[in-house]
Amino acid sequence: MELLEAWIWSERFWLPENVSWADLEHPPPGVEYPRLGHMLYALPLAVGIYVLRQIFERLVAKPCAHILQIHEGVPRQAQPNAVLERLYQSKTCPDMKQTEGLAKQLDWDVRKIQRWFRVRRNQDRPSTQIKFCESMWRFTFYLTIFMYGICHLWESPWMWDTRQCWHNYPFQPLSPEQYNYYVAELAFYWSLMFSQFIDIQRKDFMIMFVHHMATILLITFSYANNMLRAGTLVLCVHDASDIFLEAAKLANYAKYQKLCDGMFVVFSISFFIARLIIYPFWIVRSVLLESWEIIGPYQAWWLLNGLLLVLQTLHIIWFYLIARIAIKAIFKGKVSFEQFELYRVCSNITTPSHR
Protein backbone atom coordinates (compact mmCIF):
# COMPACT_ATOMS: atom_id res chain seq x y z
CA MET A 1 0.00 0.00 0.00
CA GLU A 2 2.82 2.41 0.86
CA LEU A 3 4.50 1.70 -2.48
CA LEU A 4 1.22 2.36 -4.32
CA GLU A 5 0.68 5.62 -2.43
CA ALA A 6 4.27 6.71 -3.15
CA TRP A 7 3.78 5.93 -6.85
CA ILE A 8 0.47 7.83 -7.05
CA TRP A 9 1.85 10.91 -5.28
CA SER A 10 5.33 10.85 -6.79
CA GLU A 11 6.95 14.27 -6.41
CA ARG A 12 8.93 13.74 -9.61
CA PHE A 13 5.67 13.32 -11.49
CA TRP A 14 3.35 15.94 -9.99
CA LEU A 15 5.71 18.78 -9.06
CA PRO A 16 8.34 20.88 -10.86
CA GLU A 17 12.01 20.11 -10.32
CA ASN A 18 13.42 20.80 -6.84
CA VAL A 19 9.93 21.06 -5.28
CA SER A 20 8.59 18.55 -2.75
CA TRP A 21 5.27 17.98 -1.00
CA ALA A 22 7.01 18.93 2.24
CA ASP A 23 7.68 22.40 0.82
CA LEU A 24 3.94 22.88 0.32
CA GLU A 25 3.10 21.58 3.79
CA HIS A 26 5.02 24.39 5.49
CA PRO A 27 3.92 27.74 4.04
CA PRO A 28 5.13 31.07 5.44
CA PRO A 29 3.18 32.56 8.37
CA GLY A 30 -0.21 33.91 7.28
CA VAL A 31 -0.15 31.94 4.02
CA GLU A 32 -1.93 28.68 3.23
CA TYR A 33 -1.32 26.28 0.35
CA PRO A 34 -3.84 23.74 -0.94
CA ARG A 35 -3.78 20.36 0.79
CA LEU A 36 -5.47 17.21 -0.39
CA GLY A 37 -7.24 16.87 2.96
CA HIS A 38 -9.17 20.07 2.21
CA MET A 39 -11.11 18.18 -0.47
CA LEU A 40 -12.62 15.83 2.13
CA TYR A 41 -15.00 18.62 3.13
CA ALA A 42 -16.62 18.22 -0.28
CA LEU A 43 -18.14 14.86 0.76
CA PRO A 44 -20.49 16.11 3.50
CA LEU A 45 -21.15 19.19 1.38
CA ALA A 46 -22.18 16.89 -1.50
CA VAL A 47 -24.80 15.32 0.76
CA GLY A 48 -26.00 18.81 1.67
CA ILE A 49 -26.18 19.78 -2.01
CA TYR A 50 -28.21 16.65 -2.77
CA VAL A 51 -30.65 17.46 0.05
CA LEU A 52 -30.82 21.07 -1.18
CA ARG A 53 -31.58 19.80 -4.68
CA GLN A 54 -34.47 17.69 -3.39
CA ILE A 55 -35.89 20.68 -1.50
CA PHE A 56 -35.39 22.97 -4.50
CA GLU A 57 -37.05 20.58 -6.95
CA ARG A 58 -40.03 20.03 -4.63
CA LEU A 59 -40.60 23.60 -3.42
CA VAL A 60 -39.42 25.66 -6.40
CA ALA A 61 -39.05 23.67 -9.62
CA LYS A 62 -42.17 21.51 -9.32
CA PRO A 63 -44.51 24.46 -8.64
CA CYS A 64 -42.95 26.22 -11.65
CA ALA A 65 -43.65 23.12 -13.73
CA HIS A 66 -47.30 23.16 -12.61
CA ILE A 67 -47.60 26.86 -13.51
CA LEU A 68 -46.24 26.04 -16.97
CA GLN A 69 -48.65 23.07 -17.15
CA ILE A 70 -45.87 20.49 -17.32
CA HIS A 71 -47.54 17.51 -15.70
CA GLU A 72 -45.85 14.37 -14.48
CA GLY A 73 -47.93 12.03 -16.60
CA VAL A 74 -48.31 8.28 -16.22
CA PRO A 75 -46.50 6.24 -18.89
CA ARG A 76 -48.32 3.41 -20.60
CA GLN A 77 -47.64 0.09 -18.84
CA ALA A 78 -46.27 -2.90 -20.77
CA GLN A 79 -48.23 -6.12 -20.55
CA PRO A 80 -46.69 -8.27 -17.77
CA ASN A 81 -44.57 -11.06 -19.27
CA ALA A 82 -41.84 -12.88 -17.31
CA VAL A 83 -39.93 -14.05 -20.40
CA LEU A 84 -39.71 -10.60 -21.98
CA GLU A 85 -38.99 -8.92 -18.66
CA ARG A 86 -36.09 -11.29 -17.98
CA LEU A 87 -34.51 -10.41 -21.34
CA TYR A 88 -35.27 -6.72 -20.88
CA GLN A 89 -33.24 -6.63 -17.67
CA SER A 90 -30.12 -7.66 -19.64
CA LYS A 91 -30.89 -6.10 -23.03
CA THR A 92 -33.41 -3.30 -23.45
CA CYS A 93 -33.32 -3.40 -27.25
CA PRO A 94 -32.99 -6.96 -28.62
CA ASP A 95 -31.80 -7.55 -32.17
CA MET A 96 -33.98 -9.00 -34.92
CA LYS A 97 -32.76 -12.58 -34.37
CA GLN A 98 -33.71 -12.45 -30.68
CA THR A 99 -37.03 -10.78 -31.51
CA GLU A 100 -37.94 -13.51 -33.99
CA GLY A 101 -36.97 -16.19 -31.46
CA LEU A 102 -39.20 -14.59 -28.83
CA ALA A 103 -42.06 -14.35 -31.33
CA LYS A 104 -41.86 -18.10 -31.95
CA GLN A 105 -41.50 -18.91 -28.26
CA LEU A 106 -44.51 -16.80 -27.20
CA ASP A 107 -46.50 -17.22 -30.39
CA TRP A 108 -46.61 -13.44 -30.79
CA ASP A 109 -46.20 -11.27 -33.87
CA VAL A 110 -42.71 -9.73 -34.28
CA ARG A 111 -44.20 -6.23 -34.26
CA LYS A 112 -45.98 -7.02 -31.00
CA ILE A 113 -42.64 -8.03 -29.44
CA GLN A 114 -41.02 -4.80 -30.69
CA ARG A 115 -43.96 -2.77 -29.41
CA TRP A 116 -43.67 -4.42 -25.97
CA PHE A 117 -39.99 -3.45 -25.68
CA ARG A 118 -40.72 0.09 -26.87
CA VAL A 119 -43.46 0.55 -24.26
CA ARG A 120 -41.26 -1.05 -21.57
CA ARG A 121 -38.38 1.34 -22.36
CA ASN A 122 -40.76 4.28 -22.12
CA GLN A 123 -41.76 3.14 -18.62
CA ASP A 124 -38.18 3.63 -17.42
CA ARG A 125 -37.77 7.06 -18.95
CA PRO A 126 -38.17 10.01 -16.60
CA SER A 127 -41.18 12.20 -17.27
CA THR A 128 -40.91 15.67 -18.80
CA GLN A 129 -41.71 17.17 -15.39
CA ILE A 130 -38.80 15.32 -13.76
CA LYS A 131 -36.45 16.47 -16.53
CA PHE A 132 -37.72 20.04 -16.17
CA CYS A 133 -37.02 20.00 -12.43
CA GLU A 134 -33.52 18.55 -12.96
CA SER A 135 -32.70 21.15 -15.63
CA MET A 136 -33.98 23.96 -13.44
CA TRP A 137 -31.72 22.78 -10.62
CA ARG A 138 -28.68 22.60 -12.93
CA PHE A 139 -29.53 25.99 -14.45
CA THR A 140 -29.69 27.52 -10.97
CA PHE A 141 -26.43 25.91 -9.88
CA TYR A 142 -24.51 26.84 -13.05
CA LEU A 143 -25.77 30.41 -12.92
CA THR A 144 -24.94 30.79 -9.23
CA ILE A 145 -21.49 29.21 -9.42
CA PHE A 146 -20.65 31.14 -12.59
CA MET A 147 -21.58 34.45 -10.95
CA TYR A 148 -19.50 33.55 -7.90
CA GLY A 149 -16.56 32.54 -10.07
CA ILE A 150 -16.65 35.59 -12.32
CA CYS A 151 -16.90 37.93 -9.31
CA HIS A 152 -13.77 36.31 -7.83
CA LEU A 153 -11.85 36.20 -11.10
CA TRP A 154 -12.75 39.76 -12.07
CA GLU A 155 -10.56 41.02 -9.23
CA SER A 156 -7.82 38.44 -9.81
CA PRO A 157 -4.71 39.59 -11.73
CA TRP A 158 -4.36 36.23 -13.58
CA MET A 159 -7.69 36.76 -15.34
CA TRP A 160 -6.24 39.75 -17.17
CA ASP A 161 -2.64 38.55 -17.33
CA THR A 162 -2.48 34.75 -17.57
CA ARG A 163 1.28 34.79 -16.95
CA GLN A 164 0.33 35.42 -13.31
CA CYS A 165 -0.91 31.80 -13.20
CA TRP A 166 2.74 30.65 -13.24
CA HIS A 167 4.70 33.27 -11.32
CA ASN A 168 6.15 31.63 -8.21
CA TYR A 169 4.34 28.37 -9.00
CA PRO A 170 3.57 26.17 -7.05
CA PHE A 171 4.11 28.48 -4.06
CA GLN A 172 0.94 30.46 -4.63
CA PRO A 173 -1.29 31.25 -1.63
CA LEU A 174 -4.76 29.75 -1.43
CA SER A 175 -7.54 32.34 -1.14
CA PRO A 176 -10.90 31.61 0.54
CA GLU A 177 -12.66 32.35 -2.78
CA GLN A 178 -10.57 29.76 -4.65
CA TYR A 179 -11.21 27.18 -1.96
CA ASN A 180 -14.97 27.82 -1.92
CA TYR A 181 -15.14 27.67 -5.72
CA TYR A 182 -13.26 24.39 -5.97
CA VAL A 183 -15.05 22.67 -3.08
CA ALA A 184 -18.48 23.74 -4.38
CA GLU A 185 -17.73 22.39 -7.87
CA LEU A 186 -16.30 19.16 -6.48
CA ALA A 187 -19.25 18.67 -4.11
CA PHE A 188 -21.68 19.26 -6.98
CA TYR A 189 -20.13 16.48 -9.05
CA TRP A 190 -19.97 14.16 -6.05
CA SER A 191 -23.70 14.78 -5.55
CA LEU A 192 -24.38 14.02 -9.22
CA MET A 193 -22.52 10.74 -8.91
CA PHE A 194 -24.38 9.78 -5.73
CA SER A 195 -27.73 10.65 -7.26
CA GLN A 196 -27.15 8.28 -10.18
CA PHE A 197 -27.77 5.37 -7.82
CA ILE A 198 -30.92 6.95 -6.35
CA ASP A 199 -32.62 8.63 -9.32
CA ILE A 200 -34.29 6.85 -12.22
CA GLN A 201 -31.50 4.96 -13.96
CA ARG A 202 -30.74 6.35 -17.42
CA LYS A 203 -29.43 4.57 -20.48
CA ASP A 204 -26.24 6.67 -20.30
CA PHE A 205 -25.58 5.59 -16.69
CA MET A 206 -22.08 4.22 -17.32
CA ILE A 207 -21.01 7.15 -19.52
CA MET A 208 -22.09 9.62 -16.86
CA PHE A 209 -20.49 7.59 -14.08
CA VAL A 210 -17.13 7.65 -15.90
CA HIS A 211 -17.58 11.37 -16.60
CA HIS A 212 -18.30 12.24 -12.96
CA MET A 213 -15.40 10.12 -11.71
CA ALA A 214 -12.96 11.69 -14.21
CA THR A 215 -14.20 15.15 -13.24
CA ILE A 216 -13.73 14.45 -9.55
CA LEU A 217 -10.20 13.12 -10.09
CA LEU A 218 -9.15 16.07 -12.25
CA ILE A 219 -10.52 18.65 -9.81
CA THR A 220 -8.82 16.85 -6.92
CA PHE A 221 -5.44 16.49 -8.66
CA SER A 222 -5.40 20.09 -9.92
CA TYR A 223 -6.16 21.25 -6.36
CA ALA A 224 -3.51 19.00 -4.83
CA ASN A 225 -0.71 20.35 -7.06
CA ASN A 226 -1.95 23.96 -6.71
CA MET A 227 -3.02 24.62 -10.31
CA LEU A 228 -5.94 26.61 -8.95
CA ARG A 229 -5.40 29.77 -10.98
CA ALA A 230 -5.61 28.01 -14.33
CA GLY A 231 -8.23 25.62 -12.96
CA THR A 232 -10.62 28.39 -11.91
CA LEU A 233 -10.35 29.93 -15.38
CA VAL A 234 -11.25 26.61 -16.99
CA LEU A 235 -14.18 26.07 -14.62
CA CYS A 236 -15.62 29.51 -15.27
CA VAL A 237 -15.30 29.26 -19.06
CA HIS A 238 -17.18 25.96 -19.15
CA ASP A 239 -19.93 26.93 -16.74
CA ALA A 240 -20.75 29.98 -18.87
CA SER A 241 -22.19 28.10 -21.86
CA ASP A 242 -23.89 25.41 -19.74
CA ILE A 243 -26.25 28.08 -18.38
CA PHE A 244 -27.76 28.70 -21.82
CA LEU A 245 -28.07 24.99 -22.60
CA GLU A 246 -30.14 24.39 -19.48
CA ALA A 247 -32.23 27.49 -20.22
CA ALA A 248 -32.96 26.17 -23.71
CA LYS A 249 -33.94 22.78 -22.30
CA LEU A 250 -36.31 24.44 -19.83
CA ALA A 251 -38.01 26.28 -22.70
CA ASN A 252 -38.17 23.04 -24.66
CA TYR A 253 -39.88 21.14 -21.83
CA ALA A 254 -42.32 24.04 -21.36
CA LYS A 255 -43.11 23.92 -25.11
CA TYR A 256 -41.99 27.50 -25.74
CA GLN A 257 -40.46 26.52 -29.06
CA LYS A 258 -39.37 29.97 -30.28
CA LEU A 259 -37.72 30.73 -26.95
CA CYS A 260 -36.11 27.30 -27.02
CA ASP A 261 -34.74 27.87 -30.54
CA GLY A 262 -33.45 31.32 -29.61
CA MET A 263 -31.77 30.11 -26.42
CA PHE A 264 -30.14 27.25 -28.28
CA VAL A 265 -28.69 29.70 -30.81
CA VAL A 266 -27.39 31.83 -27.91
CA PHE A 267 -25.94 28.68 -26.36
CA SER A 268 -24.24 27.80 -29.66
CA ILE A 269 -22.67 31.27 -29.87
CA SER A 270 -21.56 31.20 -26.23
CA PHE A 271 -20.11 27.70 -26.71
CA PHE A 272 -18.13 28.90 -29.73
CA ILE A 273 -16.78 31.97 -27.94
CA ALA A 274 -16.01 30.20 -24.65
CA ARG A 275 -14.67 26.88 -25.86
CA LEU A 276 -13.28 27.57 -29.32
CA ILE A 277 -11.85 31.06 -28.77
CA ILE A 278 -11.28 31.86 -25.08
CA TYR A 279 -10.36 28.33 -24.01
CA PRO A 280 -7.71 27.53 -26.67
CA PHE A 281 -6.28 31.02 -27.33
CA TRP A 282 -6.32 32.27 -23.76
CA ILE A 283 -6.14 29.33 -21.32
CA VAL A 284 -4.51 26.50 -23.31
CA ARG A 285 -1.99 28.94 -24.78
CA SER A 286 -1.04 30.01 -21.26
CA VAL A 287 -0.77 26.46 -19.89
CA LEU A 288 1.17 25.29 -22.94
CA LEU A 289 3.46 28.22 -23.74
CA GLU A 290 3.63 30.63 -20.81
CA SER A 291 4.08 27.88 -18.22
CA TRP A 292 6.88 26.35 -20.36
CA GLU A 293 8.63 29.71 -20.41
CA ILE A 294 8.20 30.51 -16.71
CA ILE A 295 8.43 27.16 -14.86
CA GLY A 296 9.45 24.69 -17.58
CA PRO A 297 7.89 21.30 -18.32
CA TYR A 298 7.70 18.39 -15.86
CA GLN A 299 5.96 15.01 -16.06
CA ALA A 300 2.48 16.07 -14.92
CA TRP A 301 2.77 19.11 -17.22
CA TRP A 302 2.75 16.79 -20.25
CA LEU A 303 -0.27 14.89 -18.93
CA LEU A 304 -2.32 17.99 -18.15
CA ASN A 305 -1.53 19.65 -21.46
CA GLY A 306 -2.39 16.44 -23.28
CA LEU A 307 -5.79 16.38 -21.57
CA LEU A 308 -6.37 20.02 -22.47
CA LEU A 309 -5.59 19.38 -26.13
CA VAL A 310 -7.73 16.22 -26.27
CA LEU A 311 -10.56 18.20 -24.77
CA GLN A 312 -10.15 20.93 -27.36
CA THR A 313 -10.49 18.29 -30.07
CA LEU A 314 -13.74 17.16 -28.43
CA HIS A 315 -14.92 20.77 -28.31
CA ILE A 316 -14.53 21.00 -32.07
CA ILE A 317 -16.49 17.79 -32.61
CA TRP A 318 -19.22 18.87 -30.21
CA PHE A 319 -19.51 22.29 -31.82
CA TYR A 320 -20.02 20.64 -35.20
CA LEU A 321 -22.99 18.73 -33.74
CA ILE A 322 -24.32 21.83 -31.97
CA ALA A 323 -23.99 23.98 -35.10
CA ARG A 324 -26.06 21.50 -37.10
CA ILE A 325 -28.85 21.71 -34.53
CA ALA A 326 -28.60 25.52 -34.33
CA ILE A 327 -28.75 25.90 -38.13
CA LYS A 328 -31.83 23.71 -38.19
CA ALA A 329 -33.39 25.89 -35.49
CA ILE A 330 -32.68 29.05 -37.52
CA PHE A 331 -33.91 27.80 -40.90
CA LYS A 332 -36.54 25.25 -39.89
CA GLY A 333 -37.59 26.78 -36.59
CA LYS A 334 -37.36 23.75 -34.32
CA VAL A 335 -34.89 22.22 -31.89
CA SER A 336 -36.18 18.74 -31.11
CA PHE A 337 -36.23 17.06 -27.72
CA GLU A 338 -34.27 14.11 -29.13
CA GLN A 339 -31.50 16.48 -30.19
CA PHE A 340 -31.29 17.83 -26.66
CA GLU A 341 -30.88 14.31 -25.31
CA LEU A 342 -28.13 13.59 -27.86
CA TYR A 343 -26.24 16.70 -26.83
CA ARG A 344 -26.77 16.05 -23.13
CA VAL A 345 -24.91 12.75 -23.45
CA CYS A 346 -22.12 14.36 -25.49
CA SER A 347 -21.68 17.53 -23.46
CA ASN A 348 -21.54 15.85 -20.09
CA ILE A 349 -18.39 13.92 -20.97
CA THR A 350 -16.65 17.26 -20.39
CA THR A 351 -14.37 17.28 -17.36
CA PRO A 352 -14.51 20.64 -15.54
CA SER A 353 -11.09 21.15 -14.01
CA HIS A 354 -9.22 20.47 -17.26
CA ARG A 355 -12.14 19.93 -19.56
Side-chain angles (χ1 to χ4, degrees), residues 316-336:
I316 295 169
I317 296 171
W318 291 334
F319 183 73
Y320 169 74
L321 299 174
I322 296 165
R324 289 178 60 183
I325 299 173
I327 291 170
K328 184 176 180 180
I330 293 171
F331 292 102
K332 296 187 178 180
K334 185 176 179 60
V335 173
S336 70

Side-chain angles (χ1 to χ4, degrees), residues 11 15-28 33 170-171:
E11 294 173 347
L15 298 173
E17 191 175 354
N18 299 323
V19 178
S20 68
W21 294 117
D23 296 331
L24 296 174
E25 291 175 359
H26 303 288
Y33 297 144
F171 303 106

Side-chain angles (χ1 to χ4, degrees), residues 64-229:
C64 289
H66 285 306
I67 292 171
L68 296 169
Q69 298 184 341
I70 304 172
H71 303 296
E72 192 161 359
V74 180
R76 179 183 170 188
Q77 300 295 305
Q79 177 183 341
N81 188 290
V83 174
L84 298 180
E85 184 65 30
R86 188 162 52 249
L87 178 60
Y88 178 82
Q89 294 303 321
S90 60
K91 193 170 186 180
T92 59
C93 191
D95 56 36
M96 182 54 69
K97 185 177 179 180
Q98 290 175 310
T99 303
E100 290 173 350
L102 289 168
K104 291 179 181 179
Q105 181 181 351
L106 299 173
D107 195 24
W108 283 16
D109 184 76
V110 170
R111 289 188 178 182
K112 186 176 181 180
I113 298 289
Q114 294 172 333
R115 191 182 310 116
W116 188 95
F117 276 93
R118 184 168 59 252
V119 172
R120 184 64 182 84
R121 287 193 297 270
N122 288 336
Q123 280 182 225
D124 288 345
R125 289 174 180 166
S127 67
T128 301
Q129 185 185 98
I130 291 174
K131 292 181 179 181
F132 176 88
C133 292
E134 290 177 350
S135 283
M136 192 168 182
W137 163 249
R138 288 194 295 267
F139 170 81
T140 304
F141 176 84
Y142 289 138
L143 179 61
T144 303
I145 200 69
F146 173 76
M147 294 302 296
Y148 181 88
I150 201 68
C151 287
H152 160 60
L153 288 171
W154 198 265
E155 299 177 353
S156 303
W158 57 87
M159 179 171 179
W160 311 106
D161 178 12
T162 52
R163 295 177 64 86
Q164 294 288 330
C165 291
W166 315 109
H167 287 164
N168 201 35
Y169 176 84
F171 303 106
Q172 296 171 341
L174 171 68
S175 71
E177 292 81 9
Q178 286 175 319
Y179 174 76
N180 294 338
Y181 195 17
Y182 253 71
V183 170
E185 290 274 12
L186 182 60
F188 177 70
Y189 283 96
W190 270 118
S191 72
L192 288 181
M193 193 169 77
F194 293 153
S195 66
Q196 278 194 291
F197 298 93
I198 302 172
D199 296 342
I200 297 173
Q201 195 167 108
R202 310 292 176 82
K203 61 185 178 182
D204 60 347
F205 175 88
M206 189 52 63
I207 292 175
M208 298 311 302
F209 180 83
V210 172
H211 157 256
H212 297 328
M213 182 57 67
T215 299
I216 288 165
L217 290 174
L218 285 169
I219 290 177
T220 303
F221 285 143
S222 65
Y223 185 89
N225 71 350
N226 203 8
M227 270 200 175
L228 271 64
R229 294 185 178 183

